[in-house]
Amino acid sequence: FVTTVSHHLCTTARRLGAPSGSTRAKLNGCDTSVFYPRNRRDAREELGLDQDKKIIVYVGRLDLRKGLLELVEAVANLRAMRSDFHCYLIGDGADGGAVKAAIEKHNVGDIVSIRPPCLSPKIAVWMAASDLVTLPSYAEGCPNVVIEAMSAGRPVVATKVGGIPELMNETCGRLVKVRDVATLTTGLAEVLEITWDADAIAAKYSRSWQNVADDLMAIFEELVGRR
C-alpha cells in the first residue's frame, strides 16, 4: 500500500506503477494546539516588532528552490507601491549567502531581515505577528508551512505547484505562477490590501496530526482485514 501527502503525489505514484487500488492520498496536518488564530498585537509585542507596519513572513530553508530570489525582487517591486511593510525570512541554509547578495543587489536591506530558525511554538508566534505568510517554491508536496499558516488564521501567497492548490484558494490568499516575479508581486500587494478573517481562514483547513493518525490507522486496519 502506498500513501502520499497530496493527490498530486498520488497521481505521480500511480503513473510510476503504484497500484491504483492500493494508493491513497492522506494530506498532512499540524499541531493545532500550537497553530491557531492569536492576537496579532500580542505576537508583535512578544517579538519586538513594529505594530504599525504590514509584515510578510517566510519560514523555511534558505534554499533558492524555495523562490527566495523571486521573493526578494518582488519585495523590491512592492516598495514602489507602498513603504509600510517589512519582510522577515525565518530560517537558514546553504543558499543564505545568495539570498543576502540578492537583498544587497536590490537595496532592500532595510525592509528584508533574515532571522534564525526556531521551533514550532515560536514559528506560531511569527505567523500570528504576520499579515501574510509566503511560500514561492518551485516544487512542493504538502507543505507544513502552508497548513500551519492557515491554521494560524493567516492568508498565504504561494506558488501553484504540487499539493498547494489542494490546501488553499483565493478565499485564503493567492496562488501565483512559479518563478514569476510579476505575479508574486501582485499577489503580495493584493493580500496586503485585504482585511482577512482569521477564523474563516483557520476553518478552511483545520486538520490535526490526530486526524492524520486516525486516517493511517484506518488504512492499517483495512490492510489487516484483507488478510
Side-chain angles (χ1 to χ4, degrees):
F1 201 97
V2 177
T3 65
T4 66
V5 295
S6 71
H7 294 285
H8 172 78
L9 288 174
C10 187
T11 300
T12 300
R14 288 171 176 164
R15 189 170 64 246
L16 292 172
S20 59
S22 299
T23 307
R24 204 169 300 162
K26 294 297 177 184
L27 276 62
N28 285 341
C30 73
D31 188 342
T32 51
S33 69
V34 174
F35 295 95
Y36 57 88
R38 308 186 191 198
N39 183 276
R40 182 178 284 111
R41 295 190 67 85
D42 291 346
R44 291 188 178 188
E45 184 175 351
E46 181 175 338
L47 295 171
L49 304 180
D50 193 319
Q51 294 285 1
D52 298 321
K53 288 185 180 294
K54 297 288 187 178
I55 290 179
I56 298 168
V57 167
Y58 163 86
V59 180
R61 298 189 312 278
L62 298 187
D63 181 333
L64 298 187
R65 292 169 295 182
K66 294 292 186 179
L68 294 178
L69 295 186
E70 291 82 357
L71 176 58
V72 170
E73 187 174 348
V75 166
N77 293 342
L78 188 60
R79 174 181 243 167
M81 306 176 193
R82 61 191 308 157
S83 59
D84 61 335
F85 72 94
H86 199 101
C87 178
Y88 292 92
L89 311 180
I90 316 301
D92 61 12
D95 292 332
V99 175
K100 291 175 184 176
I103 291 171
E104 184 176 348
K105 172 187 174 183
H106 292 286
N107 195 30
V108 290
D110 58 327
I111 56 171
V112 180
S113 300
I114 298 175
R115 296 292 180 88
C118 49
L119 298 178
S120 292
K122 192 168 183 179
I123 290 173
V125 178
W126 273 107
M127 289 182 172
S130 75
D131 289 280
L132 71 84
V133 176
T134 187
L135 183 67
S137 293
Y138 299 168
E140 288 289 344
C142 182
N144 287 350
V145 67
V146 172
I147 297 169
E148 291 165 352
M150 292 174 61
S151 294
R154 296 298 179 255
V156 176
V157 176
T159 40
K160 193 175 182 179
V161 296
I164 294 177
E166 299 170 33
L167 301 174
M168 58 170 289
N169 56 31
E170 294 213 342
T171 66
C172 48
R174 293 292 184 270
L175 289 165
V176 301
K177 295 179 182 178
V178 67
R179 302 186 190 219
D180 190 313
V181 174
T183 59
L184 179 56
T185 303
T186 299
L188 295 172
E190 289 181 357
V191 170
L192 289 179
E193 285 293 333
I194 297 171
T195 300
W196 297 88
D197 184 330
D199 291 330
I201 292 175
K204 171 70 179 175
Y205 190 89
S206 181
R207 181 167 167 80
S208 70
W209 284 123
Q210 185 60 54
N211 296 141
V212 178
D214 290 344
D215 285 348
L216 290 176
M217 180 61 78
I219 290 174
F220 298 158
E221 291 173 344
E222 175 186 333
L223 293 177
V224 170
R226 291 182 186 180
R227 295 181 66 85

